[in-house]
């Protein structure tokens, strides 16, 4: 990571730490492919609205009791590295974070999260099967493929491959569930093999009455020897039961015979439960879910479809959408058609239409373009979280427009009898899963066109009455930045109530027309442009001044509060009593010293007076190590209504007027 990027990420880390309530409020931090995930002691302290405006952040939301900040693929790795280092959590894994987060979840949240984890693990296989099924369906309808032996043969192999994956999906689910709930994954595979054993009558054939089913009598109870092909719910339950049995017997069986007896008992008891209790219960549950969905299509008609596709993305917000994978798989196994997939797909693309509508309304706003364009691209591949949490939920009316667009798309799905032959992917890739019967591909495109147009147009209409973003300007004489600064100072100390009390209307009359910042080090004052570092010289982090120090001491340039001191002690973030935020950065690339040669005399949340010693550093040793000791003072978040007046270059002491911040 180059120095310019690192310094930008340092600023982001400082700001995020402040906005989530300080280091003491952070329990854990990790990241996934696109999101920085933070577990907090108290989520109410975090200022989620302010986090949305953090540099490079594309959205923020709370899911599973984690504060998740969307940065995007690749970028999140670098932001995490600096943020975790800043908060002494660099070695925490995503698994560790999940453990911390799970401790704060209620039982329902834990169940939903567990289901999500089971299907996330096997999703690559599901996606492969779904796309292969779609590809086979497309090729199978082409005459030149049928007429060519080679192409026909390849298509047959594709069909066999996709069918094999779906055919053994219960085994994969049992494996993943057993692994997720703490059992040995191989025992999940063993139970999956038993479920699909050739010694059992095929479940599909048994349902059609084309095979004879053997019935055993165990303790007077009839047990039918029927396989569990398509038994996704049963596989989920058995994966859980197998894991708990494995854990139990591993604890109870003496160590001398554990290796032989423990897996034997787990498999034996698991198999007995499969055929006597779990199997019948799971089949009944599966049948109930399928029948309820089929009843909806037969009795609610177009209304049922419209309601589902209109509200489906609201379900995504709650995290409950992870259970749809199991339901879709069961629906396919029972009926051969999956009408939920196109309904979810039109719901997704409609939210993309809402994003485009909002983008059109605010096309001159650079930040809006940075958020909307990548979010819409994600929607095209079935990923709506950046759009939902970065734009649509944030501004409210786009989510409503998107839901209406989704409902309109659902109407088309109903009228055209559109369905899918697989599951696991939607929108652009999802067209490969559309059932080609009855012009399925054409109907798929029409349904999505209606949904995206509906979301787009309804967002524009609703925006005429509900868009408040253009009105969020600073009223004459008001000082939002000052209020933010005071809230920050209180928030670091964990006193959000006081912060709210301080940010009242009387602040306007309390604020001076100008604010003076004095020398923060003894030495030669230079212009920021003269710093021998592009990030500082180009004012990437903000405007300010710099000092070539004569000694290794840094002082407070005004009365204020210490917002954050880096663990490496080479930088301090400071808020003046009027709320102006400053970053004082000692040296260039000195973070690499890992705190060596630096001594902090204050800590996060301390209130300090002008001229108070903040940090001492060994100037000579740092220079011997090859580092420039220039000390920039950067005004990181100066609002437009405030202007800097910087003193001319020359000698500076702690009593020298260095910078004046004027309003207007």
């Amino acid at each position: 990571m180059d120095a310019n990027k690192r310094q930008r990420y340092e600023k982001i880390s400082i700001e995020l730490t402040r906005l989530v309530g300080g280091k003491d409020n952070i329990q854990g931090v990790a990241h996934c492919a696109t999101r920085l995930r933070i577990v907090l002691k108290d989520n109410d302290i975090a200022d989620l609205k302010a986090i949305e405006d953090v540099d490079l952040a594309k959205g923020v939301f709370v899911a599973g009791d984690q504060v998740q900040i969307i940065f995007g693929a690749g970028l999140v790795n670098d932001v995490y590295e600096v943020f975790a280092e800043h908060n002494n959590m660099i070695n925490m894994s995503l698994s560790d974070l999940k453990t911390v987060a799970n401790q704060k979840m209620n039982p329902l949240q834990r169940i939903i999260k567990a289901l999500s984890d089971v299907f996330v693990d096997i999703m690559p296989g599901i996606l492969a099967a779904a796309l292969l099924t779609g590809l086979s369906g497309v090729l199978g309808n082409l005459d030149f493929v049928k007429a060519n032996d080679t192409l026909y043969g390849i298509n047959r192999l594709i069909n066999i491959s996709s069918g094999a994956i779906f055919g053994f999906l219960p085994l994969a689910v049992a494996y993943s569930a057993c692994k997720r709930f703490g059992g040995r994954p191989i025992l999940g595979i063993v139970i999956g093999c038993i479920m699909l054993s050739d010694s059992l009558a095929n479940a599909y054939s048994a349902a059609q009455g084309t095979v004879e089913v053997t019935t055993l009598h165990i303790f007077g109870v009839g047990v039918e020897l029927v396989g569990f092909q398509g038994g996704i719910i049963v596989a989920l339950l058995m994966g859980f039961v197998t894991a708990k049995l494995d854990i139990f017997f591993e604890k109870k069986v003496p160590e001398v015979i554990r290796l032989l007896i423990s897996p034997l008992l787990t498999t034996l008891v698991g198999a007995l439960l499969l055929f006597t209790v779990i199997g019948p219960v799971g089949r009944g549950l599966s049948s109930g879910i399928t029948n309820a969905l089929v009843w909806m299509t037969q009795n609610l008609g177009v209304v049922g479809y419209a309601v589902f596709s209109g509200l489906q993305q609201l379900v995504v917000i709650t995290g409950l959408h992870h259970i749809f994978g199991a339901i879709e798989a069961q629906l396919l196994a029972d009926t051969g058609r999956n009408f939920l997939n196109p309904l979810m797909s039109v719901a997704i693309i409609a939210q993309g239409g809402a994003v485009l509508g909002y983008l059109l309304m605010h096309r001159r706003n650079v930040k809006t373009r940075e958020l909307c364009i990548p979010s819409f691209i994600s929607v095209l591949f079935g990923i709506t979280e950046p759009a939902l949490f970065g734009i649509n939920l944030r501004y409210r009316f786009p989510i409503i427009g998107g839901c209406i667009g989704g409902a309109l798309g659902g109407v088309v799905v109903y009228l055209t009898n559109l369905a899918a032959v697989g599951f696991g992917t939607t929108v652009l890739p999802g067209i490969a899963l559309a059932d080609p019967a009855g012009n399925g591909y054409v109907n798929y495109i029409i349904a999505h066109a209606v949904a995206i147009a509906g979301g787009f147009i309804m967002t524009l209409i609703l925006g005429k009455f509900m868009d408040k973003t253009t009105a969020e300007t600073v009223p004459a004489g008001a000082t939002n930045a000052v209020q933010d600064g005071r809230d920050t100072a209180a928030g670091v100390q964990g006193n959000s109530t006081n912060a709210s009390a301080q940010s009242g209307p009387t602040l306007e009359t309390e604020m001076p027309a100008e604010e003076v910042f004095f020398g923060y080090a003894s030495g030669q004052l230079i212009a920021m442009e003269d710093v021998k570092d592009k990030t500082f010289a180009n004012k990437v982090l903000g405007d300010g001044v710099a000092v070539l120090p004569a000694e290794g001491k840094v002082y407070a340039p005004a009365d204020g509060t210490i917002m954050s001191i880096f663990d490496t002690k080479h930088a301090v973030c400071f808020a003046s009593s009027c709320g102006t935020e400053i970053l004082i950065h000692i040296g260039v690339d000195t973070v690499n010293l890992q705190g060596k040669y630096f001594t902090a005399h204050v800590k996060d949340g301390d209130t300090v007076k002008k001229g108070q010693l903040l940090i001492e550093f060994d100037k000579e040793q740092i220079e011997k190590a090859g580092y420039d000791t220039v000390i920039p003072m950067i005004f990181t978040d100066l609002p437009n209504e405030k202007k800097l007046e910087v003193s001319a270059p020359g000698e500076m002491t702690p009593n020298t007027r260095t910078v004046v911040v004027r309003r207007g």
Side-chain angles (χ1 to χ4, degrees):
M1 186 188 309
D2 64 44
N4 293 348
K5 286 184 178 180
R6 184 176 185 90
Q7 287 169 354
R8 187 176 187 181
Y9 302 153
E10 285 177 356
K11 180 185 176 184
I12 291 171
S13 299
I14 292 171
E15 192 171 4
L16 279 181
T17 301
R18 170 175 65 84
L19 292 174
V20 299
K23 294 180 180 179
D24 291 341
N25 195 40
I26 300 174
Q27 286 187 301
V29 57
H31 74 91
C32 59
T34 59
R35 309 172 195 173
L36 182 68
R37 299 165 177 254
I38 309 172
V39 175
L40 304 178
K41 294 177 183 176
D42 185 355
N43 287 348
D44 293 336
I45 295 177
D47 189 344
L48 299 182
K49 185 171 180 59
I51 292 174
E52 291 176 347
D53 295 321
V54 167
D55 184 28
L56 300 179
K58 296 179 176 66
V60 60
F61 59 97
V62 177
D65 235 6
Q66 296 176 22
V67 174
Q68 300 188 11
I69 305 164
I70 302 167
F71 284 102
L75 174 61
V76 70
N77 301 64
D78 293 337
V79 173
Y80 162 76
E81 180 183 335
V82 177
F83 181 82
E85 181 181 284
H86 179 58
N87 289 283
N88 288 330
M89 293 183 178
I90 195 68
N91 292 320
M92 177 166 279
S93 67
L94 191 56
S95 175
D96 296 332
L97 189 77
K98 288 178 180 178
T99 301
V100 173
N102 285 344
Q103 294 171 357
K104 300 177 68 178
M105 291 184 185
N106 61 44
L108 177 61
Q109 288 174 321
R110 290 181 183 177
I111 291 171
I112 293 168
K113 185 68 174 63
L115 282 174
S116 170
D117 291 342
V118 168
F119 279 90
V120 164
D121 237 18
I122 60 176
M123 189 53 70
I126 293 172
L127 286 172
L131 292 174
L132 287 171
T133 300
L135 180 60
S136 176
V138 172
L139 295 176
N141 287 304
L142 299 177
D143 291 335
F144 72 87
V145 172
K146 297 177 183 177
N148 184 287
D149 289 343
T150 299
L151 293 178
Y152 176 80
I154 291 173
N155 189 41
R156 281 280 293 154
L157 292 177
I158 292 173
N159 184 266
I160 292 169
S161 300
S162 63
I165 298 171
F166 275 127
F168 286 91
L169 187 57
L171 186 153
V173 171
Y175 151 79
S176 185
C178 184
K179 177 183 176 183
R180 167 59 182 82
F181 293 109
R184 284 174 286 187
I186 185 61
L187 295 179
I189 292 176
V190 169
I191 289 295
C193 290
I194 294 172
M195 291 176 62
L196 303 175
S197 172
D198 288 340
S199 300
L200 304 172
N202 184 279
Y204 301 124
S205 300
Q208 296 169 3
T210 58
V211 296
E212 183 178 346
V213 177
T214 302
T215 301
L216 302 179
H217 296 278
I218 301 176
F219 301 118
V221 178
V223 176
E224 294 184 336
L225 297 183
V226 179
F228 295 89
Q229 288 79 13
I232 308 303
I233 303 298
V234 176
L236 275 170
L237 295 173
M238 281 308 304
F240 173 81
V241 169
T242 302
K244 298 308 176 184
L245 288 173
D246 185 32
I247 293 169
F248 175 79
F249 288 124
E250 280 291 292
K251 288 181 179 178
K252 298 300 181 181
V253 175
E255 188 174 355
V256 177
I257 57 174
R258 184 179 300 160
L259 181 62
L260 294 175
I261 302 301
S262 174
L264 181 150
L265 291 175
T266 297
T267 304
L268 177 60
V269 175
L272 288 172
L273 290 174
L274 169 65
F275 289 104
T276 58
V277 180
I278 305 299
V281 169
R283 280 193 171 118
L285 185 58
S286 301
S287 177
I289 292 172
T290 303
N291 291 339
L293 290 171
V294 172
W295 179 90
M296 182 188 80
T297 64
Q298 293 176 342
N299 294 274
L300 299 181
V302 68
V303 175
Y305 274 67
V307 169
F308 183 90
S309 58
L311 301 181
Q312 191 268 343
Q313 284 295 294
L314 299 183
V315 179
V316 172
I317 296 168
T318 68
L320 286 166
H321 66 296
H322 295 300
I323 66 174
F324 287 137
I327 296 172
E328 286 183 278
Q330 196 65 59
L331 193 61
L332 277 169
D334 292 343
T335 69
R337 299 182 88 239
N338 174 13
F339 65 90
L340 291 183
N341 179 270
L343 287 177
M344 290 190 288
S345 191
V346 295
I348 289 169
I349 196 64
Q351 294 300 327
V355 169
L356 292 181
Y358 187 82
L359 174 60
L360 179 63
M361 297 175 66
H362 300 275
R363 56 191 176 278
R364 293 185 178 87
N365 186 301
V366 176
K367 181 74 172 178
T368 297
R369 293 200 299 269
E370 289 178 350
L371 281 173
C372 289
I373 294 173
S375 297
F376 178 73
I377 293 172
S378 295
V379 166
L380 294 177
F381 294 91
I383 301 169
T384 53
E385 282 86 350
L388 284 176
F389 299 106
I391 298 120
N392 296 0
L393 266 178
R394 180 179 180 182
Y395 300 112
R396 295 179 178 83
F397 70 91
I399 189 77
I400 301 173
C403 287
I404 295 173
L408 294 174
V411 171
V412 178
V413 172
Y414 173 80
L415 294 176
T416 59
N417 194 28
L418 182 62
V421 294
F423 74 102
T425 187
T426 51
V427 196
L428 285 183
I431 193 171
L433 304 186
D435 186 346
N439 295 317
Y441 300 127
V442 174
N443 293 333
Y444 187 93
I445 294 171
I446 293 172
H448 285 70
V450 169
I452 193 172
F456 177 79
I457 294 170
M458 290 307 304
T459 297
L460 292 178
I461 294 173
L462 293 171
K464 295 289 186 182
F465 309 100
M466 300 174 64
D467 190 5
K468 304 295 184 183
T469 53
T470 55
E472 291 177 358
T473 55
V474 182
T479 51
N480 287 347
V482 172
Q483 295 180 21
D484 290 346
R486 291 202 171 191
D487 287 357
T488 294
V492 172
Q493 298 171 39
N495 191 349
S496 57
T497 304
N498 289 346
S500 299
Q502 287 180 352
S503 59
T506 56
L507 280 175
E508 289 189 35
T509 58
E510 295 175 1
M511 297 310 304
E514 68 175 36
E515 187 178 3
V516 179
F517 292 83
F518 291 85
Y520 55 95
S522 297
Q524 182 73 23
L525 181 68
I526 64 173
M528 187 68 82
E529 293 86 349
D530 294 332
V531 175
K532 297 175 182 178
D533 179 85
K534 289 182 179 180
T535 300
F536 294 124
N538 294 335
K539 303 180 182 179
V540 173
L541 304 179
D543 202 355
V545 294
V547 173
L548 300 174
E551 60 178 0
K553 294 182 179 180
V554 172
Y555 305 93
D559 295 348
T561 302
I562 303 300
M563 295 163 58
S564 177
I565 286 201
F566 271 67
D567 293 326
T568 49
K569 304 178 184 65
H570 76 291
V572 56
C573 194
F574 169 87
S576 72
S577 57
C578 294
T580 303
E581 297 181 10
I582 303 164
L583 173 66
I584 300 176
H585 197 287
I586 304 171
V588 176
D589 293 338
T590 47
V591 64
N592 298 327
L593 293 171
Q594 295 296 307
K596 189 177 182 181
Y597 307 130
F598 293 90
T599 302
H601 292 278
V602 290
K603 62 183 183 300
D604 292 1
D606 281 358
T607 300
V608 298
K609 294 292 185 181
K610 178 186 79 70
Q612 182 174 334
L613 181 63
L614 304 181
I615 297 175
E616 282 188 281
F617 60 96
D618 193 326
K619 178 175 175 291
E620 288 73 22
Q621 291 299 324
I622 293 173
E623 288 174 344
K624 283 182 181 179
Y627 293 95
D628 187 345
T629 55
V630 65
I631 310 175
M633 179 173 71
I634 307 151
F635 291 77
T636 57
D637 196 24
L638 203 65
N640 292 332
E641 70 271 14
K642 290 189 175 184
K643 307 297 180 185
L644 292 185
E645 292 184 6
V646 181
S647 299
E651 288 298 318
M652 187 179 76
T653 70
N655 293 317
T656 304
R657 286 169 63 102
T658 304
V659 177
V660 177
V661 178
R662 297 189 190 277
R663 282 170 46 194

